[in-house]
Amino acid sequence: MPRRVVVIGGGIIGLSTAYYALQKGFDVTVLDRDSADSYGCSWGNSGLLVPSHFVPLAAPGMVQLGLKMLPNRQGPFGFSFSLDVLRWMMIFARHCNPRHVERSQQLLVELCLASVSLYENLASDLGVSATIHKRGLAMICRDSSTLAHELAMVPRAAKLGLNAVEIQQKDLQKLGESLEIVAKGGVMYNSDSDLTPGVIVQALRDQLGDRIKSSCEVKSVIVENGKVSAVKTSKEEFVADEFVLAAGSWSGELANDFGLKMPMVAGKGYSLTLPNPPSSITTPMILVEGRVAITPMTGGTRFGGTMELTRPDLSINQNRLAGIKKSVESFLPQFKEAAFQGVEPWVGLRPCSPDGLPYIGRAPNLSNLTVATGHAMMGMTLGPITGHLVTQLLCEEPPNLSLELLKPNRFC
Ligand SMILES: Cc1cc2nc3c(=O)[nH]c(=O)nc-3n(C[C@H](O)[C@H](O)[C@H](O)COP(=O)(O)OP(=O)(O)OC[C@H]3O[C@@H](n4cnc5c(N)ncnc54)[C@H](O)[C@@H]3O)c2cc1C
């Protein structure tokens, strides 16, 4: 009889895990609280596959940068005060040092590159290869000091095996067709690629079919003799041999039910997708000072940004949305605020660990629970490799990459 796996959470991490586990012959069930037409954080994100993001969120200067941005209510960073957020910030601050960056960056690049390569096979197997574009990512800067900082990353990227080159100011216009850009220059990461998140997520959902149980919220867990024996949901009880916790920003709260301490906050962000943009952007870009990502994709050009640290809540802060539009217009004068009129904002919660690294590994206290969450700004990128690594753990095979830095209990 095949071994039964219950995956809690049907975002990109849970779906990728279910996909690879199914290939290995497991009897898979995915439980998701949302309805069949709602997809957590994995739907409206910017769809960038980013080996370029090899510096973890917890890095030198991030606390100072956050404090500088905080007073601006339309700025790209904010937080809602709670004890959880405060505790998280204290651990975050401890990790903002060069040693943490040094020991994390190689692993992040390896995870990203392995995932991008898995995406190619995955998209081909699912019949959606056309959604993946290998056109790089341009980091665009308005200020000389930011540009100098970005340019200093080029040799560091090269050392890690990534292809990054300077973009001269005169070449910025080539990032679109008759596109006006007000900026000093930038850096092009040729190793990055992009996709339309909804296309890949829907293809995975179609593949998994009725193995996905929607509107099915895990409410409590039953633990017996050091193992999870079942989870109780809003619908019924699910018994399995193995359980995977992949509930995105809600995983921290659920981890408590499993007796696991895993600090986590939600990094709230928004996206706006313009079906008919006033000018054509042909290369994905990040407007560095505004922290806005722009991705041309199926259905329009998507503008994503802001990071508000909070407990999981999906309310929309109009100030932040206004800030995204303002930033876009300051870099791209053709994209006036009016261009966004009538566009429905999307809100998503990035599952953020306090050291900027995901939690991937076996739970120390329960022999049949595996954790896969905390991917923050890189969850779309790292979906396939996470699913692949978790499946290796379920099969009791040694993982392709060391999971030492990603242990779920590393803050206990
Ligand atoms: C504006 C924005 C732009 C982004 N851009 C990028 C990008 O360009 N590249 C990139 O790599 N990443 C990007 N990200 C990050 C990425 O979207 C996330 O890291 C990723 O989607 C997280 O996936 P997940 O599967 O862990 O969580 P989710 O997609 O949130 O899925 C978790 C699921 O678990 C379900 N769940 C929660 N609790 C329960 C429960 N008790 N019972 C059952 N189900 C439950 C939820 O309903 C949800 O569907 C972006 C995020 C934002 C907000």
Side-chain angles (χ1 to χ4, degrees):
M1 212 167 97
R3 292 175 72 214
R4 295 158 303 175
V5 186
V6 160
V7 179
I8 306 169
I12 188 64
I13 303 299
L15 293 175
S16 302
T17 301
Y19 175 83
Y20 290 111
L22 191 62
Q23 281 195 334
K24 283 285 187 181
F26 285 92
D27 174 5
V28 180
T29 305
V30 179
L31 308 179
D32 199 285
R33 194 191 44 198
D34 287 347
S35 59
D37 54 2
S38 163
Y39 306 84
C41 192
S42 302
W43 184 255
N45 65 66
S46 300
L48 301 170
L49 308 181
V50 284
S52 58
H53 287 33
F54 56 83
V55 176
L57 203 54
M62 288 305 282
V63 173
Q64 293 84 334
L65 186 66
L67 289 172
K68 203 170 125 192
M69 288 177 172
L70 207 52
N72 181 359
R73 291 169 63 207
Q74 293 192 343
F77 174 72
F79 75 94
S80 319
F81 183 80
S82 74
L83 270 183
D84 286 346
V85 172
L86 189 67
R87 277 194 213 105
W88 184 98
M89 281 179 166
M90 283 159 72
I91 309 176
F92 176 82
R94 279 210 312 272
H95 286 83
C96 290
N97 64 65
R99 197 178 143 260
H100 176 60
V101 173
E102 191 61 38
R103 67 178 188 158
S104 311
Q105 57 188 13
Q106 185 71 47
L107 174 65
L108 284 175
V109 168
E110 284 174 15
L111 285 166
C112 287
L113 292 177
S115 209
V116 170
S117 157
L118 286 171
Y119 256 126
E120 283 170 24
N121 295 333
L122 178 67
S124 159
D125 289 351
L126 296 173
V128 292
S129 293
T131 196
I132 298 188
H133 298 276
K134 294 180 175 182
R135 48 192 168 187
L137 173 66
M139 311 289 288
I140 306 297
C141 306
R142 270 173 72 90
D143 303 334
S144 309
S145 59
T146 330
L147 180 59
H149 178 263
E150 288 300 324
L151 288 173
M153 300 301 281
V154 171
R156 283 178 62 183
K159 237 175 146 179
L160 292 164
L162 302 179
N163 180 336
V165 289
E166 178 174 2
I167 310 171
Q168 302 282 344
Q169 192 173 31
K170 66 178 173 44
D171 293 327
L172 287 172
Q173 269 62 24
K174 293 181 190 158
L175 301 173
E177 284 158 22
S178 38
L179 180 69
E180 284 171 38
I181 303 192
V182 180
K184 290 252 164 29
V187 171
M188 183 74 194
Y189 282 88
N190 291 307
S191 323
D192 284 15
S193 42
D194 59 279
L195 47 70
T196 303
V199 169
I200 205 93
V201 166
Q202 189 57 55
L204 278 166
R205 291 184 73 109
D206 291 345
Q207 181 78 10
L208 291 161
D210 60 9
R211 291 184 180 85
I212 303 175
K213 311 293 176 204
S214 299
S215 306
C216 191
E217 177 174 1
V218 172
K219 297 278 195 186
S220 62
V221 306
I222 303 174
V223 171
E224 286 164 340
N225 304 322
K227 281 178 88 164
V228 184
S229 54
V231 289
K232 287 188 177 178
T233 74
S234 45
K235 285 189 170 158
E236 57 189 288
E237 195 172 294
F238 288 85
V239 175
D241 304 298
E242 293 282 351
F243 293 81
V244 178
L245 176 57
S249 288
W250 296 268
S251 303
E253 289 170 8
L254 272 174
N256 287 333
D257 295 350
F258 287 109
L260 192 58
K261 290 238 167 318
M262 227 170 54
M264 180 101 125
V265 297
K268 191 188 286 186
Y270 305 97
S271 73
L272 296 155
T273 307
L274 286 187
N276 300 304
S279 170
S280 165
I281 294 169
T282 48
T283 305
M285 57 179 86
I286 289 183
L287 311 177
V288 176
E289 292 87 352
R291 302 283 191 280
V292 176
I294 307 179
T295 324
M297 59 174 74
T298 306
T301 301
R302 183 165 293 169
F303 300 77
T306 84
M307 174 71 107
E308 255 181 290
L309 302 177
T310 170
R311 289 170 65 85
D313 110 75
L314 287 165
S315 59
I316 290 183
N317 179 334
Q318 294 298 336
N319 278 323
R320 303 279 175 215
L321 279 175
I324 293 179
K325 295 175 208 166
K326 248 188 178 165
S327 284
V328 171
E329 191 178 342
S330 69
F331 279 83
L332 310 172
Q334 291 155 313
F335 288 75
K336 307 247 176 287
E337 218 177 311
F340 293 92
Q341 219 153 37
V343 173
E344 194 68 33
W346 171 87
V347 54
L349 301 176
R350 305 173 184 90
C352 299
S353 71
D355 60 359
L357 297 177
Y359 293 112
I360 305 174
R362 285 283 195 183
N365 55 331
L366 297 167
S367 61
N368 62 344
L369 176 68
T370 305
V371 175
T373 188
H375 298 74
M377 299 151 77
M378 305 174 78
M380 205 59 216
T381 307
L382 298 178
I385 187 63
T386 303
H388 178 73
L389 290 166
V390 169
T391 301
Q392 287 185 312
L393 295 176
L394 296 176
C395 294
E396 292 176 16
E397 290 170 9
N400 287 132
L401 292 165
S402 167
L403 302 182
E404 197 51 33
L405 291 176
L406 313 181
K407 288 198 299 207
N409 60 331
R410 60 187 184 269
F411 301 112
C412 291

